[in-house]
Amino acid sequence: MTATQSKSAAGQTNAVFQRLSLLDRFLPLWIVLAMAAGVIIGAIFPDIQDAFDSLRIDTVSFPIAVGLLWMMYPVLAKVKYEELSNLRGQGRLFGVSILQNWIIGPALMFALAWLFLADYPEYRTGLIIVGLARCIAMVLIWNMLAGGNNEDCAVLVALNSVFQIIMYSPLAYFYLRFLPELFGADTAEVGVTMGDIAKSVLIFLGVPLAAGVITRFALIKRRGRTWYDGEFAPRLGRTAIIGLLFTIVVMFSMQGEKIVDNPVDVLRIALPLLVYFGVMFALSFYMSHRLGFRYDESATLSFTAASNNFELAIAVAVGAFGIASGEALATVVGPLIEVPVLIG
């Protein structure tokens, strides 16, 4: 790269940085502070877990459910659904996404869980549960901030949602019962049905998706596309980050006492997760780039492949093993690692 090109690239980067809001510009800092605040709140008020857990939507506590819906709605309201018909020729992109999400991702997490946590069956099971839950929420924000393709991301999220309903229970049996039993290792059983997963997906994806579609078409009809995409959608989009930070605070407050009391265990869980997110993102981006996808497509493929649906994983772990279980702790440590790694 020449000196002129370097200056031009640096100028473009600075221009993009200057256009970001205060929330976007320092998002990694706010996320770290939100996680710290959640841990501190949970440690100071240990009964907050029971209070939050007593209020539920499906298998998820009401405050987390509010945060998830708040986080996803603004992003889904920004998607240009009227342009989705242009994605009919994207069969190759969808095929690569299925390979990355439903073959490579779960297999990699399974291998890392057994490699790093062979002597911790509860934590190992929790990590495998995380690996099977493909992302349908936070990835929309990561993709938006990275300049990925929002329309492709919305479709891939929908695709992952359908596959989760169909594949989660069979894959849970395969990775938690069949494979360990094949090698003579101890097994685990997850009591979650396809109906449970479908209900969770319907609530936490279907509700904000429907709200986003209705908002977009109703307001475009009333005020026009220029106003919607130029003024309303950007302002609404900023509130998604507030929803994300709120969700992180609540999530970590519910497990704050465990995180403080078991720092070594948290580090043991964190190490394979750190390897997973780094390897999965790099591998997916390299694969997508080598297959000739544009940057925005490669970014979308990589974020959807490297992210996980911790909301579903936590719900499954809590429902099957209880809120105080090691499996639940492992699923909660997940976003502690994913958020800063993928933001970085």
Side-chain angles (χ1 to χ4, degrees):
M1 180 181 289
T2 66
T4 302
Q5 289 173 323
S6 297
K7 289 180 180 179
S8 176
Q12 291 174 356
T13 301
N14 289 334
V16 171
F17 186 78
Q18 293 299 324
R19 286 201 304 269
L20 293 175
S21 68
L22 187 65
L23 273 176
D24 291 337
R25 195 177 300 178
F26 299 103
L27 183 58
L29 173 61
W30 309 139
I31 287 173
V32 170
L33 291 176
M35 290 189 292
V39 171
I40 292 170
I41 291 170
I44 295 175
F45 305 104
D47 293 337
I48 198 171
Q49 174 181 302
D50 295 332
F52 284 162
D53 201 45
S54 64
L55 302 170
R56 286 178 167 273
I57 291 183
D58 191 30
T59 57
V60 178
S61 73
F62 180 76
I64 290 181
V66 170
L68 295 176
L69 295 174
W70 181 7
M71 178 178 69
M72 294 181 67
Y73 161 65
V75 180
L76 291 169
K78 292 180 68 175
V79 174
K80 299 177 181 178
Y81 298 100
E82 64 273 16
E83 297 181 5
L84 292 182
S85 59
N86 298 330
L87 301 178
R88 291 175 181 172
Q90 295 283 49
R92 192 166 70 104
L93 181 133
F94 301 152
V96 171
S97 179
I98 291 172
L99 172 65
Q100 293 173 345
N101 273 281
W102 296 100
I103 297 178
I104 298 176
L108 177 61
M109 188 70 91
F110 175 84
L112 291 173
W114 275 94
L115 178 64
F116 286 93
L117 296 169
D119 55 335
Y120 283 85
E122 290 186 353
Y123 298 154
R124 185 182 67 236
T125 297
L127 286 193
I128 294 172
I129 290 173
V130 170
L132 298 178
R134 312 314 299 171
C135 195
I136 65 169
M138 291 185 184
V139 67
L140 294 164
I141 294 180
W142 310 151
N143 182 73
M144 176 183 66
L145 293 174
N149 189 304
N150 290 332
E151 285 70 40
D152 283 353
C153 190
V155 175
L156 293 181
V157 162
L159 188 68
N160 275 342
S161 301
V162 173
F163 267 77
Q164 255 169 177
I165 295 171
I166 299 171
M167 297 301 298
Y168 195 98
S169 292
L171 285 175
Y173 174 82
F174 179 77
Y175 282 108
L176 294 174
R177 292 294 299 269
F178 178 78
L179 274 187
E181 202 170 65
L182 191 65
F183 295 106
D186 57 317
T187 63
E189 185 170 356
V190 178
V192 62
T193 67
M194 286 187 285
D196 294 330
I197 298 168
K199 187 165 56 175
S200 180
V201 170
L202 178 63
I203 293 171
F204 298 113
L205 178 66
V207 170
L209 176 62
V213 171
I214 292 170
T215 299
R216 179 171 184 85
F217 286 106
L219 290 184
I220 284 179
K221 183 177 181 180
R222 185 170 182 176
R223 298 291 298 273
R225 186 175 301 176
T226 301
W227 172 83
Y228 188 93
D229 290 331
E231 296 183 37
F232 177 77
R235 289 201 302 269
L236 179 65
R238 296 187 190 104
T239 68
I241 295 176
I242 299 174
L244 170 65
L245 296 176
F246 173 80
T247 304
I248 290 172
V249 170
V250 174
M251 190 178 294
F252 281 89
S253 70
M254 293 181 69
Q255 291 284 348
E257 187 177 15
K258 281 189 177 182
I259 292 172
V260 172
D261 291 344
N262 302 283
V264 176
D265 287 2
V266 170
L267 290 175
R268 286 288 305 269
I269 297 167
L271 185 56
L273 284 167
L274 183 63
V275 174
Y276 171 81
F277 292 123
V279 170
M280 196 64 199
F281 185 90
L283 177 63
S284 300
F285 199 92
Y286 176 77
M287 177 190 300
S288 304
H289 175 71
R290 292 290 295 176
L291 289 172
F293 290 103
R294 303 187 311 267
Y295 165 78
D296 63 334
E297 295 171 327
S298 297
T300 298
L301 284 166
S302 301
F303 277 112
T304 52
S307 302
N308 290 83
N309 184 0
F310 289 105
E311 306 81 40
L312 177 61
I314 291 170
V316 170
V318 170
F321 302 102
I323 188 68
S325 65
E327 291 86 353
L329 176 61
T331 60
V332 171
V333 173
L336 176 66
I337 307 304
E338 176 186 318
V339 170
V341 168
L342 293 186
I343 283 291

